[in-house]
Every structure is written in structure tokens, then in C-alpha cells.
Amino acid sequence: MIRILCFLLLVSSCAWAQANFRLTAEVQNPVERKATIVLYRDWVSDEEEYDLVLNDNNQFSFTTALKDIAYIDFFYGNQSFHFWIAEPDDNIKLNFDAADFWQSLQVSGNGSGKFEYYIDYRKKFEETRDWQQQAEKWKKQPAGVYFKKLQQEQEIQLGFLSKYGNVSAAFRDTRKADIIGAIQNYKIEALSELKMPLWTSENIRKNMQTDVIPPMAQAASLEYGNALLNLADLFIAREGQRRKKMLSENQEYQYIKTMRVNKIITKEMAERLLGSKLKNSINANGLTAQIKQNAIDYLKFTNHTGFKNTINQLVFLQQTLVKGAPAKLFSLADSSGKFINLQDFKGKVVLLDFWTSWCGPCVRDMQFSSRIRTHFENKDVVFIQISLDGEHAWKEALKMYKIGGINVRTAENNSILKDYGISGVPAYFLIDKKGNFAFTKVAYPSDNNTKTLTDQIEEALAESP
């Protein structure tokens, strides 16, 4: 297993033709010295966040290599735009007054035609007439009328896009897919809410215009992929109803493969949907035997370099977090400034709890954790809560929730988050007396009213150091 995955990782890391995407800006009347860009290279890999500092001339510059179409979010002060398409060879220049962002925003440079389109689209379909708000109102009408209005809205938006000639064919196709995906997703939601019959292959072809949108644009589009994922989930839910039980994650994986075989979705879309499902499964459940098998299957199936690298890296990481693997050492400061070192607790069982104050399930679990701590009082068990909050929010939460045990905090860029594969909270790890992971999958404190995690800790305590 390890040899196969490492070999695939080496193959997929070969050089590919890329070109730079560059975004520069000059800010009048700046309100702060930092802007933020979030980059979405594809829809399986994690997003990338970059903080950009304004220089003495109130300018900043961002450059990254792109192989294919990507999407970006931009944040400055209290203004932002979201999911705008970026392309290789773009050299886009922004100029704006921070006091009047949208009225003053000007764009120029190679690839700026698409940004001009987005600015005009925002004014027409979000400011002057909020089409999404209207779509919510249309829902109250009979399904036939609702669907007709959605179709009319789609034609209006596609017609608006067609007026912009200073954009690439790749942008036009992908943006067209975004428009179709966003609007058809309202219909897909209605299929579920109204218990309407599922679309046939012909309905999918007609509504999603699968014979018009190129496969690469379908897979690259944010909204088109989201719509087809929601449609796949609806098919899976209906199949579960037919079988009178929920489908397992493996059955869901196989069902999407069947959709590809039956030509309901393209291979490119299957790569995206399967990769997304597999990534979520790995993050939620670790590397179970079935997930390993699906990962091997997927790595043979996909030709997408980014997807392949993401799954390879996740699998490699999870192999370092399985039962018996040595826990990653760390040193973090507690609320008094004293550094807590994991290696100091060798010979004891350690429960790590990654959490944040804004995470409802994290806070809910704290009451169950308190009962577990009381159960193991005066035994060789150490409870370490690792917060991802800012310092002020963390200390306020410690007071509010009266959290016992050892409490430390980590910054977002600390290597501990990467070492432990933290993609969401809460996340729990149980470390045995030898300093190794005691279980591949650790129960939540609230599971079975604390019993499951209590039993896991008891088992780890019973083992010889």
C-alpha cells in the first residue's frame, strides 16, 4: 500500500506547463495595511490564503503559478469579492479608493475583461436587482411557474455574459457553467423539497446543458460542480430510501462511479466528485481499510494532478496518525505563558482536544469531557485542550466555560495543525504511555454518553508502558 501510494505521488509531482497569475493594486485612502486573497486551485485541494501587506506607496502585489482556471476571494477592510475566476497569464491591476470601493474600483491589464464583467454583473444582478432574493420569492409559486422563471433568469444572465467580448473562451465556458449550475441548483433543491421525481438522463442533459458546456469547464466551475454534487447526493438519498437504509460512504463512492459509467456525468466531473467525497471521508474517518481501497482505486482512475496530489498527501498523512504510530511532539504555551511539551507526559495516557470557542459541537463536548476528567481523576491520564482561537477569545472562553485540564493555544500557521491533519474541529487524539497513537479513530466525549471514549482511555491505561 505505502509503496503504491508513494510511487503515485512521485509520478504526479512531475513538472507541468504553468503560467503566472498576477494581481496588483493601488489603494487610495487606505483603512488598513493588509489585504487578503484566498485561492481555490480546484475543488478537491485545500484553499490557500495569502496576506498581502501594502508598501509605502499603498500598493501590493500577488503572483502565483497556475496551470488551469482557478477562483479567488479578495478582502480589504470591510469590502470583498468572492469566487472570481483567475487564469494563467492574467496580469490584473486594481485601483480603488478604500472609502468608496465599488464606485471607485477600476481594473486594467491582461485578463481584466473578466473583472469588468464581474463588476457590471454585481451592479445589475446583485445591487439593482437581487436575483437570488427574487428566486426565493418564486419558490412560493407552483413548481411549473417557479421552474419557468428560473429558466428565464438563466437566459437573461447568459445573454448578459454574451455581450462581453474581451474575455477568453475558457472564462466564457466556465462562467456559463457557473450561471447554469447556480440556477439549476434551485431546481435540484425543489426536487428534494417537493418530493418530485428525479431527473432522467435526458432531463439532466437538457437542464444542465451537458452537451454545450465542455467537460473541462463543467469540472472547473464552482457552481456547476456543486449542482451536480447535490444532484448525486439526491440520487443517493433516494436510493437509500428504496433500500430502506442509508448508503455507506463506500456505496456512495461506487454510486458516483456508476453515474460516470452510465454517462450521467463526465469523467472529469467524476474525478472531482469522487475526489471530494474521498477527501471528506478521510478527514472524517481516518484511513480505514475500505477508504484505503477507495484511495488506491481513485489514484488509478484520476488523471488530475492536483486531485491526485491532494489524496496522496492525505493518505500519507493519515498513515502517520494510525494506531501505533508515534505522536507528533509539540510545545505550546498555556494561559500563564508556561510551555507545555508533549514529551513530558510519556508514561501517561494523553487526550488531545483541538477546539475553538465558536464551534458549537466543541463547546457542547466540554461538559462531557468534564465528566470524563472527573472519572479519571488521580489516574495517569492527562487532558490537553488545544485552542485555535485568538488569544483574547481563548481566555474569555476559558473563563466562560470553566474548562479544566491543561489549556494551550496554537496559531493558525503552527506546524501542529499540519502534523495532526487538522481540517476541522473538534478533533481528538488519544496517545498511549509509549507516546504512540492509541487508536486510529478516537470517539467524541459525547458519544454514547461518554462511555465510548471512557472505554478507549481505560484500554490505553491497561496497556503496559
Side-chain angles (χ1 to χ4, degrees):
M1 173 66 182
I2 295 175
R3 289 179 182 173
I4 291 173
L5 293 172
C6 288
F7 171 74
L8 288 169
L9 180 60
L10 290 171
V11 169
S12 62
S13 62
C14 296
W16 291 84
Q18 299 188 87
N20 282 342
F21 166 82
R22 190 163 188 256
L23 179 70
T24 59
E26 183 172 336
V27 185
Q28 280 74 53
N29 300 311
V31 294
E32 61 180 61
R33 307 305 302 174
K34 185 187 79 171
T36 300
I37 284 179
V38 181
L39 175 69
Y40 307 85
R41 292 186 185 274
D42 57 60
W43 304 112
V44 176
S45 307
D46 291 334
E47 66 270 18
E48 304 165 19
E49 184 172 318
Y50 301 91
D51 288 335
L52 311 171
V53 179
L54 273 67
N55 62 20
D56 293 340
N57 295 319
N58 297 327
Q59 300 168 334
F60 69 79
S61 178
F62 171 74
T63 303
T64 188
L66 292 181
K67 177 178 178 287
D68 299 305
I69 270 181
Y71 286 71
I72 62 168
D73 295 339
F74 173 80
F75 302 86
Y76 181 77
N78 61 356
Q79 299 294 338
S80 61
F81 55 76
H82 302 275
F83 301 119
W84 286 16
I85 289 173
E87 296 178 274
D89 284 327
D90 278 351
N91 186 6
I92 297 172
K93 300 169 186 175
L94 308 181
N95 191 305
F96 61 87
D97 187 325
D100 194 10
F101 180 81
W102 287 107
Q103 292 301 317
S104 65
L105 179 60
Q106 296 180 339
V107 294
S108 60
N110 189 52
S112 61
K114 68 176 76 68
F115 276 38
E116 293 172 354
Y117 159 80
Y118 278 122
I119 292 168
D120 293 345
Y121 177 91
R122 178 184 180 276
K123 184 175 182 179
K124 182 175 180 64
F125 294 100
E126 296 175 15
E127 276 190 347
T128 305
R129 181 178 66 85
D130 189 334
W131 80 266
Q132 291 182 323
Q133 191 176 72
Q134 286 189 315
E136 292 297 329
K137 293 178 180 178
W138 297 337
K139 278 185 178 181
K140 300 174 183 178
Q141 301 184 41
V145 176
Y146 176 43
F147 280 23
K148 183 177 180 179
K149 286 185 176 294
L150 287 173
Q151 207 63 38
Q152 290 170 343
E153 179 66 30
Q154 179 171 297
E155 294 308 311
I156 292 170
Q157 293 195 25
L158 291 176
F160 183 77
L161 173 63
S162 70
K163 297 176 183 178
Y164 287 78
N166 188 26
V167 295
S168 70
F171 170 78
R172 191 182 302 279
D173 287 338
T174 307
R175 181 56 191 156
K176 186 174 182 179
D178 273 339
I179 292 169
I180 293 171
I183 292 176
Q184 295 304 315
N185 201 39
Y186 278 90
K187 294 184 183 180
I188 293 168
E189 289 176 2
L191 296 180
S192 173
E193 295 171 2
L194 303 176
K195 305 298 181 184
M196 298 173 68
L198 292 180
W199 283 345
T200 63
S201 296
E202 177 59 23
N203 292 142
I204 295 171
R205 184 199 64 76
K206 180 179 178 182
N207 285 285
M208 299 300 296
Q209 297 190 22
T210 55
D211 54 350
V212 175
I213 306 296
M216 290 301 293
Q218 292 182 30
S221 163
L222 165 68
E223 299 290 0
Y224 201 95
N226 286 346
L228 283 179
L229 179 60
N230 288 337
L231 186 61
D233 284 341
L234 182 54
F235 273 99
I236 288 166
R238 293 283 178 92
E239 179 65 15
Q241 291 173 3
R242 187 185 69 79
R243 299 187 189 188
K244 298 184 179 179
K245 65 176 182 179
M246 290 180 61
L247 271 62
S248 67
E249 288 189 331
N250 179 53
Q251 287 172 321
E252 290 187 15
Y253 179 90
Q254 298 302 329
Y255 195 95
I256 292 174
K257 287 191 70 176
T258 301
M259 292 178 70
R260 158 61 186 151
V261 171
N262 293 336
K263 299 182 179 180
I264 296 174
I265 57 177
T266 64
K267 183 178 189 295
E268 291 83 358
M269 184 58 69
E271 289 176 311
R272 171 178 168 177
L273 300 189
L274 289 171
S276 178
K277 286 280 188 184
L278 187 55
K279 176 184 175 181
N280 292 340
S281 294
I282 293 171
N283 285 332
N285 302 305
L287 202 60
T288 66
Q290 184 58 65
I291 290 175
K292 279 185 183 181
Q293 191 58 47
N294 286 348
I296 293 172
D297 175 82
Y298 180 75
L299 290 168
K300 293 177 181 177
F301 173 72
T302 184
N303 296 322
H304 192 290
T305 308
F307 297 172
K308 188 171 290 192
N309 283 342
T310 296
I311 298 303
N312 258 310
Q313 290 163 9
L314 275 175
V315 169
F316 179 78
L317 173 63
Q318 289 297 323
Q319 287 171 332
T320 70
L321 300 174
V322 297
K323 180 177 180 178
K328 313 296 179 67
L329 299 180
F330 61 83
S331 179
L332 296 170
D334 66 12
S335 55
S336 66
K338 176 186 175 183
F339 275 87
I340 304 299
N341 300 295
L342 180 61
Q343 60 189 3
D344 293 341
F345 301 107
K346 200 165 185 179
K348 297 185 178 182
V349 173
V350 180
L351 179 70
L352 302 182
D353 171 2
F354 290 83
W355 72 289
T356 65
S357 61
W358 47 261
C359 163
C362 300
V363 174
R364 177 176 177 272
D365 265 359
M366 289 297 180
Q367 59 181 305
F368 295 95
S369 296
S370 177
R371 288 160 53 185
I372 295 173
R373 283 197 301 272
T374 300
H375 179 85
F376 289 102
E377 199 169 10
N378 301 321
K379 293 188 178 181
D380 285 337
V381 184
V382 177
F383 296 85
I384 303 178
Q385 284 75 229
I386 304 174
S387 173
L388 278 62
D389 283 308
E391 187 169 4
H392 177 73
W394 170 51
K395 290 183 176 179
E396 288 296 310
L398 293 182
K399 294 177 186 177
M400 182 181 299
Y401 301 117
K402 299 178 181 179
I403 301 169
I406 297 171
N407 286 280
V408 295
R409 186 184 73 86
T410 181
E412 290 183 2
N413 60 353
N414 193 297
S415 61
I416 187 175
L417 301 182
K418 183 177 180 181
D419 288 344
Y420 280 81
I422 304 302
S423 59
V425 289
Y428 300 96
F429 299 87
L430 190 61
I431 301 168
D432 65 21
K433 297 175 184 177
K434 298 176 183 178
N436 299 327
F437 291 112
F439 292 89
T440 299
K441 181 67 176 174
V442 178
Y444 281 24
S446 55
D447 286 352
N448 199 14
N449 198 24
T450 74
K451 185 178 186 310
T452 307
L453 180 53
T454 299
D455 288 347
Q456 287 184 332
I457 296 173
E458 292 280 15
E459 184 177 333
L461 269 176
E463 293 183 358
S464 301

